[in-house]
Amino acid sequence: MVGKPVPRRNASRELLVASDLAALARAAAERFASLAETAVVRANRFTVGLAGGSTPRRLYCMLAAEPYRSRIPWSQTQVFWGDERCVPPDHVESNYRMAAETLLQHVPIPVEHIHRMRGEDPDPDRAATGYEQLLRTTFQVQAGALPRFDLILLGLGADGHVASLMPDSPALRETARLVLAPYVERLRGYRLTLTLPVLNGASVILFLVSGQEKAAALCSTLGAGEPDVRLPAHEVRPRDGRVIWFVDRAAAQLLPGSVRTEELS
Ligand code: 6PG
């Protein structure tokens, strides 16, 4: 059972340490459902950006099972992605495929509410521009205005990247566009990614971080000392929103006591 978390909040940040990935996923599923219910009561809609990679898999599987399958208002939920690999939607590397297999194929979400990035487009910048237009249409925001997601899920790379915003990437300096298609040298390929203005326009950012290989990046981002300002994760600071960190003990092992908060069981 997940203990009742006693989160420590500073102005807009909350850190909860779970014993392991399963406990982290349970806590995240509960928070996801609660945010969805609140958003639908307030606006009759819940807009969420999904994270890719491997950490969210446990969470997505939990959301597809009871009690969350029945509890979450899927018919009023609009699903987007924070980033996507430039591969077809049925490719093993596709973030869309991962979420479809673990979650979206198992819940009653209308297919027209599933807004994937077109990673298969041979012109990544055209795919980015198309997704930007989709965001503007769905959120009904004109040029110069930002979509405001109810929730964006993010993972943390061992190098401190978030979505597909890599350290030292020019994409980190983007202030106007909502979606970019940066070339990632390390991956020798393009990615599609939301930009920092969109992440920082969200109501809630929920980071899911698991494993000792993330401990150094997490400590640099959250550490008590001067965080490593180079890390993209450190730039995720919603102007009018909250950042929630759900991490497991392995990822939190380097955090100084001044930063750690109540442990979840
Ligand atoms: C992706 C993700 C990426 C991911 C981190 C952590 O497309 O890979 O969006 O930002 O969240 O790299 O990945 P893991 O959860 O696999 O450690």
Side-chain angles (χ1 to χ4, degrees):
M1 268 303 279
V2 168
K4 175 127 182 62
V6 181
R8 170 176 298 170
R9 299 176 195 270
N10 64 16
S12 59
R13 191 181 86 193
E14 183 181 338
L15 171 67
L16 291 91
V17 180
S19 52
D20 56 20
L21 180 55
L24 185 157
R26 283 195 295 273
E30 186 60 35
R31 188 64 63 94
F32 184 107
S34 170
L35 290 168
E37 290 165 336
T38 302
V40 166
V41 166
R42 185 186 65 247
N44 200 30
R45 180 171 84 164
F46 173 52
T47 54
V48 55
L50 298 182
S54 56
T55 304
R57 291 184 74 97
R58 294 288 287 266
L59 166 61
Y60 297 165
C61 289
M62 283 188 183
L63 296 175
E66 297 304 343
Y68 300 110
R69 186 182 188 284
S70 301
R71 181 174 155 195
I72 292 166
W74 297 109
S75 62
Q76 293 151 290
T77 296
Q78 299 269 352
V79 165
F80 304 82
W81 274 260
D83 72 329
E84 185 56 277
R85 290 81 181 275
C86 287
V87 295
D90 60 355
H91 191 282
V92 67
E93 288 290 312
S94 164
N95 288 337
Y96 162 79
R97 172 175 161 178
M98 187 272 279
E101 289 179 340
T102 54
L103 173 59
L104 301 174
Q105 290 167 0
H106 309 289
V107 295
I109 185 170
V111 65
E112 62 273 16
H113 286 193
I114 300 173
H115 308 290
R116 68 177 185 84
M117 294 177 167
R118 296 181 52 76
E120 69 274 23
D121 192 329
D123 178 350
D125 196 55
R126 180 174 61 194
T129 305
Y131 204 71
E132 173 151 345
Q133 190 47 55
L134 178 140
L135 290 175
R136 292 200 179 284
T137 304
T138 310
F139 284 88
Q140 298 177 327
V141 289
Q142 301 305 318
L146 289 170
R148 183 169 173 78
F149 281 82
D150 295 309
L151 171 63
I152 296 178
L153 299 175
L154 290 175
L156 178 69
D159 61 356
H161 78 258
V162 295
S164 285
L165 298 169
M166 305 298 170
D168 304 323
S169 167
L172 291 166
R173 295 192 294 275
E174 178 60 46
T175 57
R177 291 194 52 190
L178 309 184
V179 187
L180 289 176
Y183 184 77
V184 180
E185 194 61 46
R186 173 171 62 84
L187 305 173
R188 301 222 186 300
Y190 287 89
R191 287 284 189 93
L192 299 172
T193 187
L194 298 184
T195 57
L196 280 173
V198 178
L199 302 183
N200 287 330
S203 174
V204 176
I205 296 279
L206 176 55
F207 275 99
L208 307 173
V209 188
S210 169
Q212 65 175 15
E213 69 279 7
K214 307 297 177 71
L218 184 65
C219 189
S220 294
T221 306
L222 298 181
E226 183 52 38
D228 179 339
V229 292
R230 273 181 350 100
L231 294 187
H234 183 255
E235 300 308 306
V236 178
R237 296 192 295 269
R239 286 173 306 285
D240 176 22
R242 279 185 297 145
V243 180
I244 303 171
W245 293 82
F246 280 8
V247 308
D248 66 10
R249 282 198 193 121
Q253 60 186 278
L254 299 179
L255 289 182
S258 60
V259 174
R260 289 179 78 102
T261 181
E262 296 298 322
E263 306 254 339
L264 289 171
S265 61

